[in-house]
Amino acid sequence: MKRIMPLILATAVALGTQGAAAADKVTTLPVQFAKGMQSFSTSHTLLGYDSVNYTLDAKAEQSMRVSLSGSSNVGFNIYAPGDIPGVATALGSGSQGQDWNGILPASGTYTVQVYQVRAAARRGAQAAYAITFAIH
């Protein structure tokens, strides 16, 4: 019996972890600027640990600005081309009222990951936001 209990406990923990991870939804949305435009705005709603990865192409030395409004429970991280959210270190970050401005270090596809802060996500809260991307 002593040998079986650790195995049962390990199995229960593994199954519980798989269930939580499987419920998280990551949506990837490409950002397309209209011809002649330098900015793009959109809105979305997050639920729990769900996140949205916006992808946009830019060139080295361009200036990018990311602005977020709406729920104070929403934040964002910016990843350089080739970097993967959750694995790589973010190039920058921001939240409602804390825009990110920067000169881009490389040409390629940037990812802007939008997510809920942990406390709100853990409660399964819903959070609406609007985000604007500008590249000059």
Side-chain angles (χ1 to χ4, degrees):
M1 182 68 171
K2 286 184 179 180
R3 292 182 189 166
I4 295 174
M5 286 306 285
L7 179 59
I8 292 171
L9 180 60
T11 302
V13 169
L15 290 174
T17 303
Q18 285 176 343
D24 301 346
K25 180 176 143 190
V26 178
T27 303
T28 300
L29 300 173
V31 171
Q32 296 290 334
F33 294 98
K35 187 172 180 143
M37 300 299 290
Q38 295 180 326
S39 67
F40 174 84
S41 297
T42 189
S43 58
H44 197 79
T45 301
L46 297 173
L47 178 62
Y49 283 101
D50 294 349
S51 62
V52 177
N53 289 341
Y54 295 95
T55 57
L56 60 152
D57 294 328
K59 294 183 178 157
E61 302 301 316
Q62 285 186 304
S63 172
M64 183 165 75
R65 178 184 181 101
V66 179
S67 304
L68 186 74
S69 62
S71 174
S72 61
N73 290 330
V74 178
F76 65 88
N77 291 319
I78 300 166
Y79 293 91
D83 287 348
I84 300 169
V87 177
T89 300
L91 177 66
S93 61
S95 59
Q96 178 197 22
Q98 295 181 338
D99 298 351
W100 182 86
N101 293 291
I103 303 298
L104 302 176
S107 296
T109 302
Y110 285 79
T111 300
V112 179
Q113 175 194 47
V114 181
Y115 61 90
Q116 276 199 89
V117 296
R118 179 187 269 170
R122 189 179 304 135
R123 291 191 312 269
Q126 189 171 0
Y129 68 90
I131 191 165
T132 301
F133 306 93
I135 295 182
H136 303 280

